[in-house]
Every structure is written in structure tokens, then in C-alpha cells.
Amino acid sequence: MSSRVLTAVAWPYANGPRHIGHVSGFGVPSDVFSRFMRMSGHDVLMVSGTDEHGTPILVQAEKEGLPTRQLADKYNRVIVEDLQGLGLSYDLFTRTTTRNHYRVVQQLFLGLFENGYVVPKTAMGAISPSTGRTLPDRYIEGTCPICGYDGARGDQCDNCGNQLDPVDLINPRSRVNGETPVFVETEHFFLDLPALAGSLGKWLASRTDWRPNVLKFSQNLLEDLRPRAITRDLDWGVPVPLDGWRDQPMKRLYVWFDAVIGYLSASVEWAARTGDPDAWQQWWINPDARGYYFMGKDNIVFHSVIWPGILLGHNGEGDHGGRTGPMGELRLPDELVSSEFLTMSGSKFSTSRGKVIYVGDFLREFGPDALRYFIAVAGPETTDTDFTWEEFVRRTNFELANEWGNLVNRSISMAHKNNGAIPAPTELRDIDHELLSTSRASFDTVGSLLGQNKFKQAISEAMRLAGAANKYLSDTEPWKLKDDTARRDTVLHTALQVVSDTNTLLTPFLPHAAQKVHEALGGTGVWAAQPEIRTVGEDDAPDYPVLMGDYAGEQARWASTPIEVGRPLAKPTPLFTKLDESLGVTGPDWASIAT
Ligand SMILES: [Zn+2]
């Protein structure tokens, strides 16, 4: 396996705080993967940011009575704080309203334009008959031609989620004054997907290691590819970088076109911020790098067809041929890691339907690792999965607190009480050898599962080792060995070695707890680095918060590290707090407000 790993994480939308369904799809799995890859010695670049263009941002700003930019600032900050609290180790988590992002999006556009893969076409645009001015898409509503919902907007239907054109609406009317808009011919840019279908098909055919359903779904999309408009009648977004277009206030590149380019622009920004402006190329131009993209299943089309199509067009690799675009010959995705949906009582989390548990609320009440554990062990990895408080309480109490927390606590407590330090082993018996060899073998087993993004199986294997260590303590009963301290020391040494190993295996999943266990075992320094919120600036634009971190320093490695005999041990404090059983029935107090 190569040593450069790009972890490209789907961009959360900045029109409100994110709920636990969002982070179970894009957030936690990508972080577990990245932490594991770094521990295994790879150079990981993990990037994302808030997606801040598009109509939902404008609509929410209107609703809250805020200028658009201020609304984006507000939720960008909320999301940055939530993701930092959850311990997601982004090398850079930025936003799409930066000047850097605008520049990179425009470069990609120009590459596509010069190679003939974006072309201007006449489409029907709405104007207000009373003012004669362009009526932005979001100000038009009517009946959805697909599902019949009466409140559909000119760009999308919130009921069925389909993207629309204003001209498609039945009985269109202006949301400003109710009048019926007039449709006139207007120019928009279209991405010529049919000219890219051949190269996309060839590339998809080479993705033999993808999950068959993802591959089949993507290949089916190629059969009916039509040119897709990439500009909109909007005043919020990236301007079209061409004379005659640049200064038109009502023509902007559309959000889905600019957002996928964020993976690249965030990598470029990261490189500039770390003082080596060309460093991003090692993940994007290097043939030996590998790119892993993490997303919810509703986003697969953007990562298996649209984004690769943009890259192929920019690289000059479609039916029209062309030259390598201004950013160089860019790598297409290697792996798509898509998750299913986390539901609540059988239906999708939805802010609009008032069924939601926000990440921030959850973190304040339960801390990050309980949520990370739940998502890894019981999340929507391969099927839609229902979140229930009952299951959350059961997992936290019986698995995290009883199985893992207790093992750590009682083995360290015994060694602290009897030895005050890590005891030295003497003669190992079969039962000791057996546990230690199971422990060492777990690094390959769990590591191989993590490399394939099988999180549920990986964490279950790691927890199985904790179970084996608990059984070992029950079988050897070190608390009864008062008269055989040599044997007791051997048993405690063995148990502590396996605690240390299990902690390493659980580090990608439970980085906060892992740091504590590392310290409880007498370790010092950083074991699992956490992201920091840094305030950064850009030319003369206002400062904004980003997540960055120093993950390359001396810290946990993916291997069994021998514990150090004689290292002093303090009396441990509980690793996890058990939850009140009644929480499983009622949920927390704030659930009544949120649901
Ligand atoms: Zn609809």
C-alpha cells in the first residue's frame, strides 16, 4: 500500500447545526480510518469544510433575518466547534466561501471550458413581469412536477429532494409578490457529461474493488447522462471567470459544482497554510497516492460520476480530448466509502420535520467517545440503522463501561495497590502465552478490517480482546494470590500488557479515552492528537476558524508496545460514566425540546 492517503470527507452544509445522523455518515468513519492510517505510518491528508453556497443557505438567512454571509459565519463556527469536540482529526477543515476556494473552482472551470467540456447553452430563465428583472430560482415556487408537492422551489423540491428548473414547476409564482413569472431565453453553462461518459465508463470498469451495488448504481447512471447546468440565476456563489460573465450579479456557478471541488481547494489551502504551497500535489498528482472519499449514500452520484467527470474534463480525457488543465493531471477517486442512514424511530433525521439530535447537545451531555463508539459499533455502515436511547444506554453501560472501562480500572488498581508500579513478570504459563499471542495477532486482524473500512467488525474484534482479558482475570484470580506474589505479578503484568494493546487497537475509535488510558498506564506525552480550532486570515478578507492539528508527532503506533516494568502507576479514575437506566426509556431532558 502506498504511503500517501487522501481522506476526502463530505462537506457538511452550513444552514444549521449538524445532527448525529450527519456525523455518523461522513464524520466518525473518516476519522477512524485516518487515525488508523496515520498509526500505520501513512502520510494522511484529511480535508473538508462547510458547504456554504446554494439556495438553502439563502432561505435560512432570510428566515433568521441575517445577511447571507453572517448566517454562513454563524453555522460554520457551530460546525467547527462540534467537529472539534468530536475529535475529528482534519488536517484542514475550512469552508467554501474562501478566496482560495473561489480561485481553485475557477481554475477547474477554465480547464473544462478550454477543453470544451463546459459549454454555454440557451435555457429558459424567469423574469418578474412587473419589474422586468431576473427572478432568482429560489424566489419562484409552484407544484413539483415529480411528486406534486405544492411548495416546491425553482431549484429544488424539499419534499422529494429532486433538483428542478423553475420552468419545470406547475403553476409557478413569485414568492415576492405572487405574480406569475415570464420565462425568457437566457444563457447558462452546462457540463457536457455525455462527452465524458465514455471515459467515465472505462474508469468505472477498472473499479473492481468497489462494492458491487455502488459500482452498478454508478454504471447505470452513465446510460442516461445529459448535459447538466452548472450556473444558476443566483447572487450567492462563485462568479463565472469569463469576460461578460464575471460581473453579472445574477449568474453564479451552482453549489454542487463548487462543493465537490472543495476537496482539492482545501488541499491547496492546507499546503499554503503549512508553508509548502506545492505539497498538495503529493496527494493529487502523485500516481502512488490513494484517495478515499467518505459520504452518505445520497451523495454517491457526485463522487462516482460528477466529480470524476469534472476531473477527466479538466485533464483533457473525454471525447473532445484536450490538454491537461491549469491544476495539472489530477487523480480520480480510488475508493468511495458510503454509509447508509441513521434513522430515529424508523424515519430519517430531519430538521424540517423536527426530529433531530444535534451533535453539540449530545457532546455536552455524553462526551465524544460514547457517540464515536455507538456510531462505530452500531452505526449505519451497511444498512439503515435506527438510533434508540435504549441501545445507546446498553452499549455505553455494558460494553464501554463494564467491558472496557472495568478492565482498565481493575487491572491498574490491583497493580497500583500491590506494586505501585508495573510489576515484572516471572515464569509465563500457557494461559498467559495464549492471551498475549491473541493480543498480538489482533493488530493484523483489526488492522486489515480497518484498511477495508469495516468499522463494525474491527471494533467488535478489539472489544473481543477486552472480553478475553476479562475472562483471563476471572480465570487467574490475581486478587486471591496474596501468598504467591510472583504469580500475581506475572498475571498483572500480562493483563496490563493486554490493556495497553487493546488501548492501541481502540485508539482510532476512542481517541480521548485512549489518551487517558495511556496516562493511567504511566505514559506521558501525546498519544492521540486532537484537532485544534485556529483562526486564520486570507489576504484582506475577514478571519475565520479552521480545524488543523499536529498529528505527525511522536504518538501511538499500530503495534504492540511492550509495557515498561517499574513505571509508577497512580490510582485510576473511572474511564466512562455509567448512564442512568431511565435514560433508555425517556431519553435526555432536551429530547423533548428537540423532538
Ligand atoms: Zn417533489
Side-chain angles (χ1 to χ4, degrees), residues 144-149 152 157-162 164:
C144 173
I146 297 162
C147 74
Y149 174 63
C157 171
D158 281 342
N159 189 51
C160 65
N162 280 292
L164 303 173

Side-chain angles (χ1 to χ4, degrees), residues 162-481:
N162 280 292
Q163 290 196 10
L164 303 173
D165 278 312
V167 73
D168 298 336
L169 291 174
I170 301 160
N171 297 325
R173 55 194 178 268
S174 160
R175 286 176 54 205
V176 182
N177 57 14
E179 67 188 355
T180 304
V182 174
F183 288 92
V184 295
E185 292 199 332
T186 178
E187 266 206 323
H188 278 294
F189 277 100
F190 284 71
L191 181 61
D192 189 359
L193 286 166
L196 296 159
S199 323
L200 279 168
K202 245 183 255 164
W203 171 72
L204 280 174
S206 71
R207 307 288 92 201
T208 48
D209 53 346
W210 281 16
R211 287 223 312 269
N213 57 336
V214 172
L215 192 55
K216 189 87 207 122
F217 170 79
S218 308
Q219 283 167 329
N220 285 344
L221 292 171
L222 297 187
E223 283 164 22
D224 185 30
L225 277 188
R226 275 169 291 178
R228 192 161 176 161
I230 60 165
T231 51
R232 279 285 182 178
D233 291 322
L234 267 181
D235 53 2
W236 177 247
V238 182
V240 179
L242 294 174
D243 291 342
W245 286 78
R246 199 175 277 118
D247 303 321
Q248 285 193 49
M250 289 310 301
K251 294 277 186 212
R252 290 289 181 267
L253 292 169
Y254 199 39
V255 60
W256 62 261
F257 180 77
D258 92 74
V260 288
I261 298 173
Y263 301 122
L264 177 61
S265 71
S267 303
V268 171
E269 182 183 343
W270 167 82
R273 297 213 175 283
T274 50
D276 183 2
D278 293 331
W280 63 273
Q281 297 177 359
Q282 294 168 31
W283 284 267
W284 285 92
I285 313 272
N286 178 357
D288 296 325
R290 284 183 73 78
Y292 294 77
Y293 288 69
F294 290 78
M295 75 216 70
K297 65 177 168 187
D298 50 341
N299 266 323
I300 291 173
V301 56
F302 290 102
H303 297 86
S304 69
V305 174
I306 306 278
W307 177 227
I310 291 172
L311 291 166
L312 286 166
H314 168 271
N315 291 350
E317 294 169 32
D319 291 355
H320 307 318
R323 293 182 309 184
T324 304
M327 300 296 292
E329 195 178 333
L330 299 168
R331 275 192 76 77
L332 272 63
D334 292 284
E335 295 284 349
L336 301 196
V337 186
S338 66
S339 70
E340 307 287 308
F341 292 136
L342 188 68
T343 57
M344 200 166 184
S345 310
S347 55
K348 213 174 146 179
F349 276 96
S350 158
T351 318
S352 52
R353 275 170 287 166
K355 265 174 74 158
V356 70
I357 302 170
Y358 290 116
V359 174
D361 292 336
F362 204 99
L363 291 177
R364 274 184 289 278
E365 195 85 29
F366 307 109
D369 282 6
L371 180 55
R372 295 177 63 110
Y373 181 76
F374 183 87
I375 291 170
V377 78
E381 187 177 314
T382 50
T383 51
D384 287 355
T385 303
D386 216 33
F387 176 88
T388 65
W389 288 107
E390 197 186 351
E391 173 85 344
F392 175 68
V393 169
R394 192 180 70 74
R395 296 278 187 185
T396 304
N397 288 357
F398 293 99
E399 295 176 11
L400 268 189
N402 279 2
E403 196 79 333
W404 175 226
N406 259 352
L407 172 67
V408 173
N409 201 272
R410 62 181 177 148
S411 45
I412 296 177
S413 291
M414 279 188 278
H416 161 72
K417 199 175 111 211
N418 294 307
N419 308 81
I422 294 181
T426 44
E427 202 183 322
L428 295 190
R429 296 183 186 169
D430 283 352
I431 189 171
D432 312 327
H433 281 302
E434 237 169 74
L435 181 65
L436 288 170
S437 81
T438 303
S439 190
R440 277 191 298 269
S442 299
F443 285 88
D444 279 349
T445 322
V446 179
S448 145
L449 291 166
L450 280 175
Q452 302 167 65
N453 290 295
K454 292 180 175 167
F455 304 107
K456 206 170 279 200
Q457 282 184 52
I459 197 166
S460 302
E461 278 299 316
M463 288 299 284
R464 203 143 72 157
L465 182 59
N470 275 318
K471 181 169 184 306
Y472 170 82
L473 287 176
S474 311
D475 291 347
T476 53
E477 301 183 303
W479 49 89
K480 287 188 181 167
L481 296 171

